Amino acid sequence: MASKSRWADTEEDAAQDAQRKREKEEKKRLKAEKARKAEEEKRAQAEAEAARQQQEQQEKEQVENDANNRPPAKRRKVTPGREDGSVAEGEGGVEEDEAPKILRFEAGGWGPAHSVENYDKLNDIEEGAYGWVARGKEIKTGKVVALKRLKLDDGNSGAGLPETGLREIQILKDCSHRNIVTLREVVTSGGPQRIENVFLVLDFLEHDLKSILEDMPEPFLASEVKTLLRQLASGLSYLHDRWILHRDLKTSNLLLNNRGCLKIADFGMARYVGDPPPARLTQLVVTLWYRSPELLLGTETYGPAVDMWSVGCIFGELLTREPLLQGRNEVDELTRIFELCGVPTDESWPGFRRLPNARSLRLPPKSASSVASGSVIRARFPLLTSAGCALLDGLLALDPTRRPTARQMLAHEYFAQDPKPKQEAMFPTFPSKAGQERRRRRDTPNAPGRGQQAAVDLGSVDFGGIFAGREKEERGGGFSLRMI
Ligand code: ADP
């Protein structure tokens, strides 16, 4: 056994050493504990500061959103619903993660500060069977505006805004695009106890395309047609991207200012649709001359392609100054469409026979109906370039799925080719009827939702017979029918 060294500690030394060691360890522990507490405190402070900043940011965004009157930034999803407001079987109605879209009015929006009395009337612009629009001036600012009176429903509990009016306000409030008319505010007459009338206060534009086309001695130049169509497609692409269908595009609903800027107006027939669109939508939309074949054949499921058909009709009208397809009634409208675009076949429009009004159509035999629509369009618009003919032919495709979207239209080579679209600033100016005198009443039809009764029953219309009967008829523009 090894002997103890003489340097070895005594028992007392050892006890003292152990005590010192314990004290040292305790000191170390206390120091570590202090450091941990300090660290924890620091972290809590940082977290509190971050939370405060986040709160501040949210409050700021809320104020901005309220000021701009738009909902918080979020991809818009619109609940598909039925046209009559009911929810189809199997449809959840509202998706779980989104609140229903509610029309918001600012507090105090119906008070005296928003009375029509704040405006002086300058002159009537349009007084028709379904609406009244006047030019006015805001007394406080001198700003010239257009005032559109909305039609009210007379209910038991007083006058109320019909759904079309509510939709028009809602959609215009949600839209902000240079090719869509700006809604400045909504004003009323009659006072808060009993509202007599509701008016949309819109930015005033000097012209609508219909009035210009009626009066201009020469048609638009090709470069001008391109400028107008490009702006129309741009506004429409904005709407369709947001699930909005206009459903009443026509030249009288396209406004133009004196700086060559076109704006889409009249959202009385417009509505939000979802993706996929609602299972049932009304077919009683779009003014007859601009109404697509699928609507005429009674479809209840449709989408942006109905607007693209109207764009095709507007394209033709801009070129000739005459509405392209002036049917006297639904049957006549379809007949004219088939003359221009060809009679539908299972190849050109798969599935058209399943549409409600198509089932008992008697169409001419296939060989007799095989005139290519492109060649008829080329013959009718001899001055249009081949890219222009291709675009027009696409827009007027009988099968809605074959029509280009507004976005595709914008990218079409027609706009890239010479002559290039004219710069808006170089656009010609026209004398403004809206700014000076009362307009005469229009002789063009209106969308059917505005009072007209629907649809002639197309059930057993014999289109072969109609074509045969028209065979020798002289048609405008040298267009003759040789289908049968
Ligand atoms: P309605 O729903 O009664 O058809 P619209 O909105 O189509 O009413 O307007 C009818 C007409 O009034 C248009 O064709 C246009 O001539 C004129 N109009 C509408 N809005 C404006 C505006 N903001 N600026 C100038 N004229 C306008």
Side-chain angles (χ1 to χ4, degrees):
M1 188 169 114
S3 63
K4 245 184 171 183
S5 155
R6 66 183 180 88
W7 299 104
D9 294 334
T10 61
E11 269 182 24
E12 202 183 330
D13 285 342
Q16 277 178 358
D17 270 354
Q19 175 66 17
R20 264 200 301 275
K21 211 168 162 190
R22 271 199 304 277
E23 281 171 9
K24 214 169 155 189
E25 267 166 11
E26 179 62 12
K27 247 191 199 162
K28 223 163 132 188
R29 197 186 61 75
L30 285 173
K31 202 172 158 196
E33 177 74 12
K34 207 170 150 194
R36 194 182 57 76
K37 275 192 179 151
E39 181 64 27
E40 246 173 33
E41 222 166 82
K42 217 163 121 192
R43 198 175 328 126
Q45 271 174 7
E47 277 173 5
E49 175 62 13
R52 195 186 57 74
Q53 280 177 5
Q54 194 182 0
Q55 170 83 8
E56 254 179 38
Q57 180 65 18
Q58 276 171 357
E59 281 170 11
K60 209 166 127 205
E61 275 172 16
Q62 183 63 43
V63 169
E64 272 170 19
N65 284 331
D66 288 350
N68 295 337
N69 193 25
R70 59 178 155 75
K74 180 181 162 200
R75 198 173 79 86
R76 185 192 304 286
K77 278 204 271 169
V78 182
T79 311
R82 289 189 177 190
E83 190 75 324
D84 58 7
S86 65
V87 174
E89 256 179 41
E91 283 175 4
V94 178
E95 286 184 28
E96 273 176 5
D97 63 343
E98 73 178 285
K101 196 157 178 40
I102 293 170
L103 179 61
R104 297 189 308 154
F105 290 99
E106 291 86 7
W110 301 106
H114 293 262
S115 161
V116 74
E117 298 303 324
N118 293 338
Y119 294 86
D120 277 338
K121 184 172 139 185
L122 299 176
N123 59 280
D124 286 320
I125 298 176
E126 177 91 16
E127 190 173 10
Y130 307 108
W132 174 91
V133 183
R135 192 168 69 111
K137 189 165 80 175
E138 191 179 22
I139 297 169
K140 201 166 74 186
T141 60
K143 172 94 187 161
V144 174
V145 296
L147 288 156
K148 174 174 173 173
R149 189 173 62 206
L150 295 183
K151 211 167 175 275
L152 299 184
D153 276 343
D154 283 324
N156 292 337
S157 52
L161 258 187
E163 196 183 15
T164 51
L166 285 171
R167 280 186 183 157
E168 183 162 19
I169 296 173
Q170 180 183 23
I171 289 173
L172 281 174
K173 271 169 87 87
D174 286 351
C175 289
S176 170
H177 188 274
R178 71 184 302 273
N179 299 121
I180 292 169
V181 71
T182 306
L183 174 65
R184 300 168 66 83
E185 63 170 334
V186 179
V187 296
T188 61
S189 66
Q193 304 310 323
R194 188 177 169 90
I195 291 165
E196 278 166 9
N197 279 303
V198 177
F199 302 83
L200 305 185
V201 182
L202 303 154
D203 275 355
F204 173 77
L205 281 91
E206 289 83 358
H207 315 279
D208 66 73
L209 282 186
K210 176 92 194 146
S211 302
I212 293 181
L213 288 166
E214 274 170 358
D215 292 344
M216 65 196 305
E218 297 289 323
F220 282 117
L221 299 175
S223 58
E224 294 164 355
V225 171
K226 283 186 189 179
T227 306
L228 295 171
L229 282 179
R230 199 170 56 174
Q231 294 186 74
L232 172 58
S234 174
L236 206 51
S237 145
Y238 174 90
L239 293 176
H240 290 171
D241 281 353
R242 282 157 185 76
W243 315 109
I244 298 167
L245 303 187
H246 185 280
R247 305 197 301 181
D248 198 16
L249 288 175
K250 52 181 171 177
T251 44
S252 60
N253 286 341
L254 301 179
L255 306 177
L256 188 71
N257 69 17
N258 271 339
R259 294 170 300 289
C261 179
L262 174 148
K263 291 186 195 277
I264 301 173
D266 192 0
F267 284 72
M269 298 300 293
R271 68 158 286 167
Y272 280 106
V273 289
D275 181 20
R280 282 178 55 204
L281 288 164
T282 178
Q283 0 140 350
L284 296 179
V285 287
V286 191
T287 300
L288 185 63
W289 296 348
Y290 303 83
R291 200 178 308 160
S292 64
E294 68 271 24
L295 285 171
L296 289 162
L297 290 179
T299 186
E300 287 183 321
T301 43
Y302 55 84
V306 298
D307 284 339
M308 300 316 294
W309 175 272
S310 307
V311 172
C313 298
I314 291 166
F315 191 172
E317 189 170 339
L318 290 176
L319 295 170
T320 63
R321 288 176 294 165
E322 277 288 309
L324 184 63
L325 294 157
Q326 303 182 41
R328 290 184 294 270
N329 51 46
E330 270 118 352
V331 175
D332 191 40
E333 184 69 20
L334 261 184
T335 309
R336 286 165 195 262
I337 289 174
F338 293 165
E339 286 171 5
L340 182 68
C341 309
V343 171
T345 62
D346 293 323
E347 291 79 49
S348 71
W349 187 359
F352 84 96
R353 288 181 202 278
R354 286 196 297 274
L355 292 174
N357 297 335
R359 285 189 199 116
S360 44
L361 284 183
R362 286 180 49 215
L363 296 168
K366 203 174 166 196
S367 57
S369 61
S370 59
V371 177
S373 70
S375 58
V376 181
I377 285 176
R378 262 197 302 282
R380 186 134 173 206
F381 301 97
L383 298 179
L384 190 59
T385 60
S386 51
C389 280
L391 176 58
L392 183 55
D393 193 39
L395 290 165
L396 296 178
L398 292 175
D399 180 352
T401 63
R402 296 187 185 173
R403 287 173 215 147
T405 63
R407 221 170 246 280
Q408 288 165 343
M409 177 172 166
L410 281 172
H412 198 276
E413 60 169 337
Y414 167 65
F415 295 106
Q417 284 182 359
D418 286 333
K420 297 277 188 308
K422 188 177 252 182
Q423 282 179 15
E424 286 173 29
M426 305 299 289
F427 219 78
T429 55
F430 307 89
S432 168
K433 279 186 179 176
Q436 287 151 26
E437 70 210 33
R438 188 168 169 153
R439 285 183 193 165
R440 67 190 136 104
R441 286 167 71 111
R442 305 238 184 255
D443 52 3
T444 49
N446 274 290
R450 302 183 170 185
Q452 270 169 257
Q453 260 318 299
V456 179
D457 181 9
L458 296 176
S460 51
V461 173
D462 182 347
F463 280 89
I466 288 170
F467 282 114
R470 283 169 164 245
E471 205 181 350
K472 297 183 204 84
E473 210 177 309
E474 270 291 307
R475 306 301 308 269
F479 173 65
S480 67
L481 187 65
R482 275 177 285 121
M483 284 188 164
I484 286 185

